[in-house]
Amino acid sequence: MLKTPLCNLLGIEYPIIQGGMAWVATAELAAAVSEAGGLGLIGAGHAPADWVQGEIRKIKAVTKKPFGINVMLLSPFVKEVMDVIIEERVPVVTTGAGNPGTYMAALKEVGCKVVPLVPSIAMAKRMARVGADAVIAEGTESGGHVGELTTMALVPQVVDCIDIPVIAAGGIHDGRGFVAALALGAVGVQMGTRFMCASECTIHSSVKEVILKAKDRDTVVTGRSTGHPVRCIRNKFTRQLEQMEAQCVPAEEIEKMGVGRMKICMIDGDVQNGSLMAGQIASMVDKIEPARDIIQDIMQGAAKILSNLEVNR
Ligand code: TUI
């Protein structure tokens, strides 16, 4: 039943990791994904360490299955969050938006599997060298902070340049994307956007509605001028940013504009003035369903594709 080395590495049933989305990936969503046999992640984002500790305790109270924390390395609370992760012996840590090298030894010492997100070959090689257990190669189709390369171009190049397992992320929605990722040499997938519309996901219902209605060209990348490009669903806020970037407004001013925008979107439901981070497959998400059904759909879709390939050989 489509076991890969990722299942053994993380102690999970299906090689599917839920993206560690800030303000979106709470203990409720992560628990549902882990209970369904994938790896649920809590997104630490810019949250303080005591919030992260609270979420860890919540998930431990409802599931005995493995789970992880995504640490956003641009957060001012990274050090304290890492201390909590070590104290709580969290099974898996994924990292985004930077180099987790300085925390690697301490995390590994308590048996934590460290799985950095990488947008490039250089970063993948550096992570393998400093002892990462696996990497997630994330293509620019993803929502949130993105690199330049597409999943199709990035994943096989990362697979060829390192000896540790590679997980694919960016632009994956169903069994087709899952099989494609394995064909590129990945041992599993990470998916964010589809899990935003899981029934257990606690974000504001208005955000889910926008994703359900999204069309193929509705996402846009802003912030290239600041060095932190971010993919979001186009809205009043992204149009404002595009205008500022066209007028060459200084990077610090543009960065300042982004502060607090994810919260007002994901929690308060302001889908026009908030930062509605989502990936290019938002247009494929067409229903709200339990995390378990999402995982089953991917695995059943993948099995069907593989058996058809076999028949047609
Ligand atoms: O991290 C993500 N996705 C994210 S983080 C985020 S919150 C945010 N807020 C404001 C500005 C920027 C982000 C929303 N979505 N994905 C993984 C990812 N990591 N994408 C790109 C990278 C990355 C970028 C540079 C990883 C390493 C890196 O290395 C830089 C270095 O230190 O050399």
Coordinates of all heavy atoms in Angstrom, one line a residue, residues 223-301:
G223 N 6.4 40.9 -3.2 CA 7.6 41.0 -2.3 C 8.9 40.6 -2.9 O 9.9 40.4 -2.1
R224 N 9.0 40.5 -4.2 CA 10.3 40.1 -4.8 C 11.3 41.2 -4.5 O 12.5 40.9 -4.2 CB 10.2 39.9 -6.3 CG 9.5 38.6 -6.7 CD 10.0 38.1 -8.0 NE 9.6 36.6 -8.1 CZ 8.5 36.2 -8.7 NH1 7.6 37.1 -9.1 NH2 8.2 35.0 -8.7
S225 N 10.9 42.5 -4.4 CA 11.8 43.6 -4.2 C 12.3 43.6 -2.7 O 13.3 44.2 -2.4 CB 11.1 44.9 -4.5 OG 10.1 45.1 -3.5
T226 N 11.7 42.8 -1.8 CA 12.1 42.8 -0.4 C 13.0 41.6 -0.1 O 13.6 41.5 1.0 CB 10.9 42.7 0.5 OG1 10.3 41.4 0.4 CG2 9.8 43.8 0.3
G227 N 13.1 40.7 -1.0 CA 13.9 39.5 -0.8 C 13.1 38.4 -0.1 O 13.6 37.3 0.2
H228 N 11.8 38.7 0.1 CA 10.9 37.7 0.7 C 9.6 37.6 -0.1 O 8.6 38.0 0.3 CB 10.5 38.1 2.2 CG 11.6 38.1 3.1 ND1 11.8 39.1 4.1 CD2 12.6 37.2 3.3 CE1 12.9 38.8 4.8 NE2 13.4 37.7 4.3
P229 N 9.8 36.9 -1.3 CA 8.6 36.8 -2.2 C 7.6 35.8 -1.5 O 8.0 34.8 -1.0 CB 9.2 36.2 -3.4 CG 10.5 35.7 -3.1 CD 11.0 36.3 -1.9
V230 N 6.3 36.2 -1.6 CA 5.2 35.5 -1.0 C 4.1 35.3 -2.0 O 3.7 36.2 -2.6 CB 4.7 36.3 0.3 CG1 3.5 35.7 0.8 CG2 5.8 36.3 1.3
R231 N 3.6 34.0 -2.1 CA 2.5 33.8 -3.0 C 1.2 33.8 -2.2 O 1.0 33.1 -1.2 CB 2.6 32.4 -3.7 CG 1.4 32.1 -4.7 CD 1.5 30.8 -5.4 NE 2.8 30.7 -6.2 CZ 3.0 31.3 -7.4 NH1 2.0 32.0 -7.9 NH2 4.1 31.1 -8.0
C232 N 0.2 34.6 -2.7 CA -1.1 34.8 -2.1 C -2.2 34.8 -3.1 O -1.9 35.0 -4.3 CB -1.2 36.1 -1.4 SG -0.1 36.3 0.1
I233 N -3.4 34.6 -2.7 CA -4.6 34.8 -3.6 C -4.7 36.3 -3.8 O -4.6 37.1 -2.8 CB -5.9 34.3 -3.0 CG1 -5.8 32.8 -2.6 CG2 -7.1 34.6 -3.9 CD1 -6.3 31.8 -3.6
R234 N -4.8 36.7 -5.0 CA -4.9 38.2 -5.4 C -6.1 38.8 -4.7 O -7.2 38.3 -4.7 CB -5.0 38.3 -6.9 CG -4.9 39.8 -7.4 CD -5.1 39.9 -8.9 NE -4.0 39.4 -9.7 CZ -4.0 38.3 -10.3 NH1 -5.0 37.5 -10.3 NH2 -2.9 37.9 -11.1
N235 N -5.8 40.0 -4.1 CA -6.9 40.7 -3.4 C -6.5 42.2 -3.3 O -5.5 42.6 -3.9 CB -7.2 40.1 -2.0 CG -6.0 40.2 -1.0 OD1 -5.0 40.8 -1.3 ND2 -6.2 39.6 0.1
K236 N -7.3 42.9 -2.5 CA -7.0 44.4 -2.4 C -5.5 44.6 -1.9 O -4.8 45.5 -2.4 CB -8.0 45.0 -1.4 CG -8.0 46.5 -1.4 CD -9.2 47.0 -0.6 CE -8.9 48.4 -0.1 NZ -9.7 48.8 1.0
F237 N -5.1 43.8 -0.9 CA -3.8 44.0 -0.3 C -2.7 43.7 -1.3 O -1.7 44.4 -1.4 CB -3.7 43.1 0.9 CG -2.3 43.1 1.6 CD1 -1.8 44.4 1.9 CD2 -1.6 42.0 1.9 CE1 -0.5 44.4 2.6 CE2 -0.4 42.0 2.5 CZ 0.2 43.2 2.8
T238 N -2.8 42.6 -2.1 CA -1.7 42.3 -3.1 C -1.7 43.4 -4.1 O -0.6 43.7 -4.6 CB -1.9 40.9 -3.7 OG1 -3.0 40.9 -4.5 CG2 -1.9 39.8 -2.7
R239 N -2.8 43.9 -4.5 CA -2.8 45.0 -5.6 C -2.1 46.2 -5.0 O -1.3 46.9 -5.7 CB -4.2 45.3 -6.0 CG -4.7 44.3 -7.1 CD -6.0 44.8 -7.7 NE -7.2 44.5 -6.8 CZ -7.9 43.3 -6.8 NH1 -7.6 42.4 -7.7 NH2 -8.8 43.1 -6.0
Q240 N -2.3 46.5 -3.7 CA -1.7 47.6 -3.1 C -0.1 47.4 -3.1 O 0.6 48.3 -3.4 CB -2.2 47.7 -1.6 CG -2.3 49.0 -1.0 CD -3.0 48.9 0.3 OE1 -3.8 48.0 0.6 NE2 -2.6 49.8 1.3
L241 N 0.3 46.2 -2.8 CA 1.7 45.9 -2.7 C 2.3 46.0 -4.1 O 3.4 46.5 -4.3 CB 1.9 44.4 -2.2 CG 1.7 44.2 -0.7 CD1 1.8 42.7 -0.4 CD2 2.7 45.0 0.1
E242 N 1.6 45.5 -5.1 CA 2.1 45.5 -6.5 C 2.3 47.0 -6.9 O 3.3 47.3 -7.6 CB 1.1 44.8 -7.5 CG 1.2 43.3 -7.4 CD 0.2 42.6 -8.3 OE1 -1.0 43.1 -8.3 OE2 0.6 41.7 -9.0
Q243 N 1.4 47.8 -6.5 CA 1.5 49.2 -6.9 C 2.7 49.9 -6.2 O 3.5 50.6 -6.8 CB 0.2 49.9 -6.4 CG -0.3 51.0 -7.3 CD -1.7 51.4 -6.9 OE1 -2.0 51.5 -5.7 NE2 -2.6 51.6 -7.8
M244 N 2.9 49.5 -4.9 CA 4.1 50.1 -4.2 C 5.4 49.6 -4.8 O 6.3 50.3 -4.9 CB 4.0 49.6 -2.7 CG 2.9 50.4 -1.9 SD 2.7 49.7 -0.3 CE 4.1 50.4 0.6
E245 N 5.4 48.3 -5.2 CA 6.6 47.8 -5.8 C 6.9 48.4 -7.1 O 8.1 48.7 -7.5 CB 6.6 46.3 -5.9 CG 6.5 45.6 -4.5 CD 6.9 44.1 -4.5 OE1 8.1 43.8 -4.4 OE2 6.0 43.3 -4.6
A246 N 5.9 48.7 -7.9 CA 6.0 49.4 -9.2 C 6.6 50.8 -9.0 O 7.3 51.3 -9.9 CB 4.7 49.4 -10.0
Q247 N 6.2 51.4 -7.9 CA 6.7 52.7 -7.6 C 8.0 52.7 -6.8 O 8.5 53.8 -6.3 CB 5.7 53.5 -6.8 CG 4.4 53.8 -7.5 CD 3.2 54.2 -6.6 OE1 3.3 54.2 -5.4 NE2 2.1 54.5 -7.2
C248 N 8.7 51.5 -6.7 CA 10.0 51.4 -6.1 C 10.0 51.9 -4.6 O 11.0 52.5 -4.2 CB 11.1 52.0 -6.9 SG 11.3 51.3 -8.5
V249 N 8.9 51.7 -3.9 CA 8.8 52.0 -2.5 C 9.9 51.2 -1.8 O 10.1 50.0 -2.1 CB 7.4 51.8 -1.9 CG1 7.4 51.9 -0.4 CG2 6.4 52.7 -2.6
P250 N 10.6 51.8 -0.8 CA 11.7 51.0 -0.1 C 11.2 49.7 0.5 O 10.1 49.7 1.0 CB 12.2 52.0 0.9 CG 11.8 53.4 0.5 CD 10.5 53.2 -0.3
A251 N 12.1 48.7 0.5 CA 11.7 47.4 1.0 C 11.2 47.4 2.4 O 10.2 46.7 2.7 CB 13.0 46.5 0.9
E252 N 11.8 48.2 3.3 CA 11.4 48.2 4.7 C 10.0 48.6 4.8 O 9.2 48.1 5.7 CB 12.3 49.2 5.6 CG 13.8 49.0 5.4 CD 14.3 49.8 4.2 OE1 14.3 51.0 4.2 OE2 14.7 49.1 3.2
E253 N 9.6 49.6 4.0 CA 8.2 50.1 4.1 C 7.2 49.0 3.6 O 6.1 48.8 4.2 CB 8.1 51.3 3.2 CG 7.3 52.4 3.8 CD 7.3 53.7 3.0 OE1 8.5 54.3 2.9 OE2 6.3 54.0 2.4
I254 N 7.6 48.2 2.6 CA 6.8 47.2 2.0 C 6.7 46.0 3.1 O 5.6 45.5 3.3 CB 7.3 46.7 0.7 CG1 7.2 47.8 -0.3 CG2 6.6 45.4 0.2 CD1 7.7 47.5 -1.7
E255 N 7.8 45.7 3.7 CA 7.8 44.6 4.7 C 6.9 45.0 5.9 O 6.2 44.2 6.4 CB 9.2 44.5 5.3 CG 10.2 43.9 4.3 CD 10.4 42.4 4.4 OE1 11.1 42.0 5.3 OE2 9.8 41.6 3.7
K256 N 6.9 46.3 6.2 CA 6.1 46.8 7.4 C 4.6 46.6 7.1 O 3.9 46.3 8.0 CB 6.5 48.3 7.6 CG 6.7 48.6 9.1 CD 6.9 50.1 9.4 CE 8.3 50.6 9.0 NZ 8.3 52.1 8.8
M257 N 4.3 46.8 5.8 CA 2.9 46.7 5.4 C 2.3 45.3 5.7 O 1.1 45.1 5.9 CB 2.8 46.8 3.9 CG 2.9 48.2 3.4 SD 1.4 49.1 3.6 CE 0.3 48.2 2.4
G258 N 3.2 44.3 5.7 CA 2.8 42.9 5.8 C 2.6 42.4 7.3 O 1.9 41.4 7.5
V259 N 3.0 43.2 8.2 CA 2.9 42.8 9.6 C 1.5 42.6 10.0 O 0.6 43.5 9.8 CB 3.6 43.9 10.5 CG1 3.5 43.5 12.0 CG2 5.1 43.9 10.2
G260 N 1.2 41.5 10.6 CA -0.2 41.2 11.1 C -1.2 40.8 10.1 O -2.4 40.5 10.4
R261 N -0.8 40.8 8.8 CA -1.8 40.6 7.7 C -2.3 39.1 7.6 O -3.4 38.9 7.1 CB -1.2 40.9 6.4 CG -0.9 42.4 6.2 CD -2.1 43.2 6.0 NE -1.7 44.6 5.9 CZ -2.4 45.6 5.3 NH1 -3.6 45.3 4.8 NH2 -1.9 46.8 5.2
M262 N -1.5 38.2 8.0 CA -1.9 36.8 8.0 C -3.0 36.6 9.0 O -4.0 35.9 8.8 CB -0.8 35.8 8.3 CG 0.0 35.4 7.1 SD 1.0 33.9 7.4 CE -0.2 32.7 6.8
K263 N -2.8 37.1 10.2 CA -3.8 37.0 11.3 C -5.1 37.6 10.9 O -6.2 36.9 11.0 CB -3.3 37.6 12.6 CG -4.3 37.5 13.7 CD -3.8 38.1 15.0 CE -4.9 38.0 16.1 NZ -6.0 38.9 16.0
I264 N -5.1 38.8 10.3 CA -6.4 39.4 10.0 C -7.1 38.6 8.9 O -8.4 38.6 8.9 CB -6.3 40.9 9.7 CG1 -5.6 41.2 8.4 CG2 -5.8 41.7 10.8 CD1 -5.9 42.6 7.8
C265 N -6.4 37.9 8.1 CA -7.0 37.1 7.1 C -7.5 35.8 7.7 O -8.7 35.5 7.7 CB -6.0 36.8 6.0 SG -6.7 35.8 4.7
M266 N -6.6 35.0 8.2 CA -6.9 33.6 8.6 C -7.8 33.5 9.8 O -8.6 32.6 9.9 CB -5.6 32.8 8.9 CG -4.6 32.8 7.8 SD -5.3 32.1 6.3 CE -3.9 32.2 5.1
I267 N -7.6 34.5 10.8 CA -8.4 34.4 12.0 C -9.7 35.3 11.9 O -10.8 34.9 12.2 CB -7.6 34.8 13.2 CG1 -6.3 34.0 13.3 CG2 -8.4 34.7 14.5 CD1 -6.4 32.5 13.4
D268 N -9.5 36.5 11.5 CA -10.6 37.5 11.4 C -11.4 37.4 10.2 O -12.5 37.9 10.1 CB -10.1 38.9 11.6 CG -9.2 39.1 12.8 OD1 -9.3 38.3 13.8 OD2 -8.4 40.1 12.8
G269 N -10.8 36.7 9.1 CA -11.6 36.5 7.9 C -11.6 37.7 7.0 O -12.5 37.8 6.1
D270 N -10.7 38.7 7.1 CA -10.7 39.8 6.2 C -9.9 39.4 5.0 O -8.6 39.6 4.9 CB -10.0 41.0 6.9 CG -10.1 42.3 6.0 OD1 -10.3 42.1 4.8 OD2 -9.9 43.4 6.5
V271 N -10.6 38.9 4.0 CA -9.9 38.3 2.8 C -9.5 39.3 1.8 O -8.9 39.0 0.8 CB -10.8 37.2 2.2 CG1 -11.1 36.0 3.1 CG2 -12.1 37.8 1.7
Q272 N -9.8 40.6 2.0 CA -9.4 41.6 1.1 C -8.1 42.3 1.6 O -7.2 42.6 0.8 CB -10.5 42.7 0.9 CG -11.6 42.2 -0.1 CD -11.0 41.8 -1.5 OE1 -10.0 42.4 -2.0 NE2 -11.6 40.7 -2.1
N273 N -8.1 42.6 2.9 CA -7.0 43.4 3.4 C -5.9 42.5 4.1 O -4.9 43.0 4.5 CB -7.5 44.4 4.4 CG -8.4 45.4 3.8 OD1 -8.0 46.2 2.9 ND2 -9.7 45.4 4.1
G274 N -6.2 41.2 4.2 CA -5.3 40.3 4.8 C -4.4 39.6 3.7 O -4.6 39.7 2.5
S275 N -3.4 38.8 4.2 CA -2.5 38.1 3.4 C -3.0 36.6 3.3 O -2.9 35.8 4.1 CB -1.1 38.1 4.1 OG -0.2 37.8 3.1
L276 N -3.7 36.3 2.1 CA -4.3 35.0 1.9 C -3.4 34.1 1.2 O -3.5 33.8 0.0 CB -5.7 35.2 1.2 CG -6.7 34.1 1.5 CD1 -8.1 34.5 0.9 CD2 -6.4 32.7 1.1
M277 N -2.4 33.6 2.0 CA -1.3 32.8 1.4 C -2.0 31.4 0.9 O -2.6 30.8 1.7 CB -0.2 32.5 2.4 CG 0.6 33.8 2.7 SD 2.0 33.5 3.8 CE 2.5 35.2 4.2
A278 N -1.7 31.1 -0.3 CA -2.2 29.8 -0.8 C -1.5 29.5 -2.1 O -0.9 30.4 -2.8 CB -3.7 29.9 -1.1
G279 N -1.4 28.2 -2.5 CA -0.7 27.8 -3.6 C -1.5 27.7 -4.9 O -2.7 28.0 -4.9
Q280 N -0.8 27.4 -6.0 CA -1.4 27.5 -7.3 C -2.5 26.4 -7.5 O -3.3 26.6 -8.5 CB -0.3 27.3 -8.4 CG 0.5 28.6 -8.6 CD 1.5 28.4 -9.7 OE1 1.9 27.3 -10.1 NE2 1.9 29.5 -10.3
I281 N -2.5 25.4 -6.7 CA -3.6 24.4 -6.8 C -4.9 24.8 -6.1 O -5.8 24.0 -6.1 CB -3.1 23.0 -6.4 CG1 -2.7 22.9 -4.9 CG2 -2.1 22.4 -7.4 CD1 -3.8 22.7 -3.9
A282 N -4.9 26.0 -5.5 CA -6.1 26.5 -4.8 C -7.3 26.2 -5.7 O -8.4 25.8 -5.2 CB -6.0 27.9 -4.5
S283 N -7.2 26.4 -7.0 CA -8.3 26.3 -8.0 C -8.8 24.8 -8.1 O -9.9 24.5 -8.5 CB -7.9 26.7 -9.4 OG -6.6 26.2 -9.7
M284 N -8.0 23.9 -7.6 CA -8.4 22.4 -7.7 C -9.1 22.0 -6.4 O -9.8 21.0 -6.4 CB -7.1 21.5 -7.8 CG -6.4 21.8 -9.2 SD -4.9 20.9 -9.2 CE -5.4 19.3 -9.8
V285 N -9.1 22.8 -5.4 CA -9.7 22.5 -4.1 C -11.2 22.8 -4.3 O -11.6 23.9 -4.5 CB -9.1 23.2 -2.9 CG1 -9.8 22.8 -1.6 CG2 -7.6 23.0 -2.8
D286 N -12.1 21.8 -4.2 CA -13.5 22.0 -4.5 C -14.4 21.6 -3.4 O -15.6 21.7 -3.6 CB -13.9 21.4 -5.9 CG -13.7 19.9 -5.9 OD1 -13.3 19.3 -4.8 OD2 -13.9 19.2 -6.9
K287 N -13.9 21.1 -2.3 CA -14.8 20.8 -1.2 C -14.1 20.9 0.2 O -12.9 20.8 0.3 CB -15.5 19.5 -1.4 CG -14.7 18.3 -1.5 CD -15.6 17.1 -1.5 CE -15.0 15.8 -2.0 NZ -14.4 15.8 -3.3
I288 N -14.9 21.1 1.2 CA -14.4 21.0 2.6 C -14.7 19.5 3.0 O -15.8 19.1 2.9 CB -15.2 22.0 3.5 CG1 -14.8 23.4 3.0 CG2 -14.9 21.8 4.9 CD1 -15.5 24.5 3.6
E289 N -13.7 18.9 3.5 CA -13.8 17.4 3.8 C -12.8 17.1 4.9 O -11.8 17.8 5.1 CB -13.6 16.5 2.6 CG -12.2 16.7 2.0 CD -12.1 15.9 0.7 OE1 -12.8 14.9 0.4 OE2 -11.2 16.4 -0.1
P290 N -13.1 16.0 5.7 CA -12.2 15.7 6.8 C -10.8 15.4 6.2 O -10.6 14.9 5.1 CB -12.8 14.4 7.4 CG -14.3 14.5 6.9 CD -14.3 15.2 5.6
A291 N -9.8 15.6 7.1 CA -8.4 15.3 6.7 C -8.2 13.9 6.3 O -7.5 13.5 5.3 CB -7.5 15.6 7.8
R292 N -9.0 13.0 6.9 CA -8.9 11.6 6.6 C -9.3 11.3 5.2 O -8.7 10.5 4.4 CB -9.8 10.8 7.6 CG -9.7 9.3 7.4 CD -10.5 8.6 8.5 NE -10.0 8.8 9.8 CZ -8.9 8.1 10.4 NH1 -8.3 7.2 9.7 NH2 -8.5 8.4 11.6
D293 N -10.4 12.0 4.7 CA -10.8 11.8 3.3 C -9.8 12.3 2.3 O -9.7 11.8 1.2 CB -12.2 12.5 3.2 CG -13.3 11.8 4.0 OD1 -13.0 10.8 4.7 OD2 -14.5 12.2 3.9
I294 N -9.2 13.5 2.7 CA -8.2 14.0 1.8 C -7.1 13.0 1.6 O -6.7 12.7 0.4 CB -7.6 15.3 2.4 CG1 -8.7 16.4 2.4 CG2 -6.4 15.8 1.5 CD1 -8.3 17.7 3.1
I295 N -6.6 12.4 2.7 CA -5.5 11.5 2.6 C -5.9 10.2 1.8 O -5.2 9.7 0.9 CB -4.9 11.1 4.0 CG1 -4.2 12.4 4.5 CG2 -4.0 9.9 4.0 CD1 -3.7 12.3 5.9
Q296 N -7.1 9.7 2.1 CA -7.6 8.5 1.4 C -7.8 8.8 -0.1 O -7.4 8.0 -0.9 CB -8.9 8.1 2.0 CG -8.8 7.4 3.4 CD -7.8 6.2 3.3 OE1 -7.8 5.4 2.4 NE2 -6.9 6.2 4.3
D297 N -8.2 10.0 -0.4 CA -8.4 10.3 -1.9 C -7.1 10.3 -2.6 O -7.0 9.8 -3.7 CB -9.1 11.7 -2.0 CG -9.1 12.2 -3.4 OD1 -9.9 11.6 -4.2 OD2 -8.4 13.2 -3.8
I298 N -6.0 10.9 -1.9 CA -4.7 10.9 -2.6 C -4.2 9.5 -2.7 O -3.7 9.1 -3.8 CB -3.7 11.8 -1.7 CG1 -4.2 13.2 -1.6 CG2 -2.3 11.7 -2.3 CD1 -3.6 14.0 -0.5
M299 N -4.3 8.7 -1.7 CA -3.7 7.3 -1.8 C -4.5 6.5 -2.7 O -3.9 5.7 -3.5 CB -3.7 6.7 -0.4 CG -2.8 7.4 0.6 SD -1.2 7.9 0.0 CE -0.4 6.4 -0.3
Q300 N -5.8 6.6 -2.8 CA -6.6 5.8 -3.7 C -6.4 6.2 -5.1 O -6.3 5.4 -6.1 CB -8.1 5.8 -3.3 CG -8.4 5.0 -2.1 CD -9.7 5.3 -1.5 OE1 -10.5 6.1 -2.0 NE2 -10.0 4.8 -0.3
G301 N -6.3 7.6 -5.3 CA -6.0 8.1 -6.6 C -4.7 7.6 -7.2 O -4.5 7.2 -8.3

